[in-house]
């Protein structure tokens, strides 16, 4: 790499993944390394996940720098996901970022994790101003840019879409396996199902509710009348139709010309199919973030950090405390106005 190119190192640690990404100021991802905490049993235990992140941080950092073929002295700015997320996990990433920035004498930028998912989706698909469905283990929202920020047009009132699939998967006896998220295991089973089991479908205005759906799906399975494959199929059909319905209404309202699917659940082929259909019906282009950048990753934080830093945003250390419930619509995104 030419030594004069400016580069940003980004740290992601909002939940189960500890990721370090390196991005140039002109949008090339030079490295994207992560290590995930996989609980033996059950869901994410925040303190256990944070302990994992602290244990792997130096290794992941070293791997990312070596992949990018850079030394710490070549970096221009350090960014980290400041929220939203799980407190102990966020604090571990923030501590690493503060230490690096102060040791290297570099500016620090705290970025919003949801902005990261939207921006890496745009960077990797060349979308410019999309309606975005962001669905992951911890977040579910339909957003679009308007008046300086990514506005939320619809969201979950309780649990996230990925969490809905994960909780059902665990209750159904599926096991946590590295490289095979529970959502992906549910997807494989759903492909073998086809009978639509009656389950709740809850859309309230522009918002959705998924917790009753999980409970009903678990009960339907435990009754023993339906196969696991059919319940997985029906769970997906109901949950994905809900987010698709809300996305379609937001698309009709905003008249955006692009639909972007991002976040860990974006890897799901059936969800991609449903969103592709509504995009086509509204003459919008449908785009899906590539799998490597769908799930939580450091590159998305590095790239969102580049955008923020080059538009005048920095975070003094005394303001770098983590924000567990930092909504995407609280964040100014001045680079969008400049690009439209
Ligand atoms: P993230 O929170 O962005 O790291 O994404 C993790 C979430 O994505 C978890 O809830 C996973 O179960 C879910 N996920 C990953 N792959 C798939 C898939 N193919 N289908 C559905 N959900 C998935
Ligand atoms: Mg994750």
């Amino acid at each position: 790499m030419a030594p004069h190119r400016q580069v940003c190192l980004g740290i992601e640690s909002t939940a189960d993944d500890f990721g370090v990404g390196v991005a140039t100021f002109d949008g090339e991802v030079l490295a994207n390394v992560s290590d995930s905490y996989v609980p033996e049993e059950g869901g994410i235990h925040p303190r256990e996940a944070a302990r994992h992140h602290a244990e792997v941080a130096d290794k992941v950092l070293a791997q990312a720098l070596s992949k990018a073929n850079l030394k710490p002295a070549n970096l221009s700015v350090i960014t980290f996901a400041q929220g939203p997320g799980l407190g102990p996990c966020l604090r571990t990433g923030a501590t690493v970022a503060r230490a690096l920035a102060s040791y290297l004498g570099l500016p620090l930028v705290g970025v919003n994790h949801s902005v990261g998912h939207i921006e890496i989706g745009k960077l990797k698909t060349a979308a410019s101003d999309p309606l975005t469905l962001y669905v992951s283990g911890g977040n579910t929202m339909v957003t679009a840019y308007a008046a300086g920020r990514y506005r939320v047009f619809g969201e979950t009132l309780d649990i996230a879409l990925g969490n809905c699939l994960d909780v059902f998967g665990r209750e159904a006896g599926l096991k946590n396996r590295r490289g095979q998220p529970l959502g992906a295991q549910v997807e494989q089973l759903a492909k073998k199902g086809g009978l639509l089991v009656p389950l709740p479908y809850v859309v309230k205005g522009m918002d959705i509710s998924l917790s009753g759906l999980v409970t009903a799906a678990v009960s339907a399975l435990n009754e023993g009348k339906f196969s696991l494959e059919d319940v997985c199929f029906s769970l997906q059909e109901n949950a994905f139709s809900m987010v698709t319905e809300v996305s379609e209404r937001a698309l009709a309202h905003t008249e955006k010309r692009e639909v972007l699917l991002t976040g860990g659940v974006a890897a799901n082929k059936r969800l991609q199919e449903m969103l592709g259909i509504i995009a086509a019906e509204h003459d919008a282009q449908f785009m899906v973030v590539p799998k490597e950048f769908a799930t939580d990753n450091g590159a998305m934080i590095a790239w969102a950090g580049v955008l923020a830093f080059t538009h005048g945003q920095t975070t003094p250390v005394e303001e770098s405390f983590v924000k567990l419930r930092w909504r995407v619509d609280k964040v100014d995104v001045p680079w969008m106005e400049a690009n439209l």
Side-chain angles (χ1 to χ4, degrees), residues 16-17 117 136-138 162-163 165-166 181-184 187 263-265 267-268 294-296:
D16 55 336
D17 305 294
H117 274 290
S136 68
N163 193 232
L165 302 172
D166 295 345
L182 289 168
E187 178 181 25
V265 189
N268 190 290
T295 199
D296 297 339

Side-chain angles (χ1 to χ4, degrees), residues 221-242:
L221 185 66
N222 291 344
E223 271 174 40
K225 280 196 285 187
F226 306 104
S227 69
L228 174 60
E229 289 80 1
D230 284 337
V231 179
C232 288
F233 168 78
S234 308
L235 176 67
Q236 282 200 170
E237 291 302 297
N238 270 37
F240 294 172
S241 299
M242 288 183 216

Side-chain angles (χ1 to χ4, degrees), residues 117 120 135 262-267 289-297 300:
H117 274 290
I120 198 72
V135 278
T262 193
V265 189
V289 69
K291 206 170 167 191
E292 180 193 348
F293 301 99
T295 199
D296 297 339
N297 64 86
M300 71 186 202

Side-chain angles (χ1 to χ4, degrees), residues 307-325:
L307 293 169
F309 181 69
T310 53
H311 289 79
Q313 298 179 351
T314 53
T315 309
V317 169
E318 59 277 17
E319 287 169 29
S320 66
F321 49 84
V322 299
K323 305 176 186 179
L324 277 57
R325 298 184 185 279

Side-chain angles (χ1 to χ4, degrees), residues 25-314:
F25 279 27
D26 52 1
E28 191 185 342
V29 173
L30 301 179
N32 189 27
V33 180
S34 70
D35 194 308
S36 303
Y37 154 77
V38 182
E40 297 247 316
E41 252 179 53
I44 304 174
H45 187 300
R47 266 181 287 117
E48 289 298 318
R51 190 215 304 249
H52 160 270
H53 297 348
E55 281 169 7
V56 301
D58 61 342
K59 178 192 79 181
V60 177
L61 262 172
Q63 282 176 353
L65 284 170
S66 132
K67 189 95 195 289
N69 200 15
L70 291 175
K71 302 219 164 0
N74 302 127
L75 302 170
S76 312
V77 55
I78 305 292
T79 70
F80 68 104
Q82 199 172 357
L86 305 171
C89 301
L90 283 167
R91 277 178 214 110
T92 306
T95 304
V96 176
R98 280 184 212 110
L100 267 178
S102 71
Y103 181 69
L104 298 169
L106 294 177
L108 181 69
V109 185
V111 301
N112 181 285
H113 174 84
S114 308
V115 170
H117 274 290
I118 298 169
E119 293 303 343
I120 198 72
K122 284 167 54 203
L123 178 72
K124 290 292 165 187
T125 62
S128 59
D129 181 24
L131 179 94
T132 303
L133 175 63
Y134 160 37
V135 278
S136 68
N139 293 281
T140 294
M141 62 182 84
V142 178
T143 72
Y145 176 77
R149 292 183 179 180
Y150 290 118
R151 307 288 168 177
V152 178
F153 286 84
E155 60 193 317
T156 179
L157 295 171
D158 41 54
I159 59 172
L161 183 56
N163 193 232
C164 159
L165 302 172
D166 295 345
V167 171
F168 174 78
R170 270 196 297 276
E171 291 285 329
L174 305 179
K175 297 278 172 257
N176 297 328
R177 275 187 255 139
R178 189 170 290 279
Q180 276 184 295
L182 289 168
Q185 296 184 42
V186 169
E187 178 181 25
Q188 292 314 316
L189 289 161
K191 279 188 190 153
K192 298 186 206 129
L195 172 80
L196 204 54
V197 176
L199 292 175
Y201 182 98
V202 187
V203 175
K204 299 182 181 184
M206 287 293 285
D207 295 327
I208 65 165
S209 161
L210 294 164
S211 63
L213 172 62
V214 179
T215 311
V218 172
S219 307
L221 185 66
N222 291 344
E223 271 174 40
K225 280 196 285 187
F226 306 104
S227 69
L228 174 60
E229 289 80 1
D230 284 337
V231 179
C232 288
F233 168 78
S234 308
L235 176 67
Q236 282 200 170
E237 291 302 297
N238 270 37
F240 294 172
S241 299
M242 288 183 216
V243 289
T244 304
E245 178 189 327
V246 174
S247 302
E248 180 172 22
R249 259 187 279 141
L251 184 58
H253 175 78
T254 58
E255 298 187 335
K256 298 285 182 189
R257 309 301 341 130
E258 299 157 335
V259 174
L260 171 67
L261 179 59
T262 193
V265 189
N268 190 290
K269 291 281 187 289
R270 178 62 178 138
L271 180 59
Q272 293 176 10
E273 185 183 11
M274 285 194 194
L275 271 204
I277 292 169
I278 59 138
E281 283 179 355
H282 291 260
D283 292 325
Q285 208 183 336
F286 177 56
M287 288 134 153
V288 187
V289 69
K291 206 170 167 191
E292 180 193 348
F293 301 99
T295 199
D296 297 339
N297 64 86
M300 71 186 202
I301 302 304
W303 177 235
V306 168
L307 293 169
F309 181 69
T310 53
H311 289 79
Q313 298 179 351
T314 53

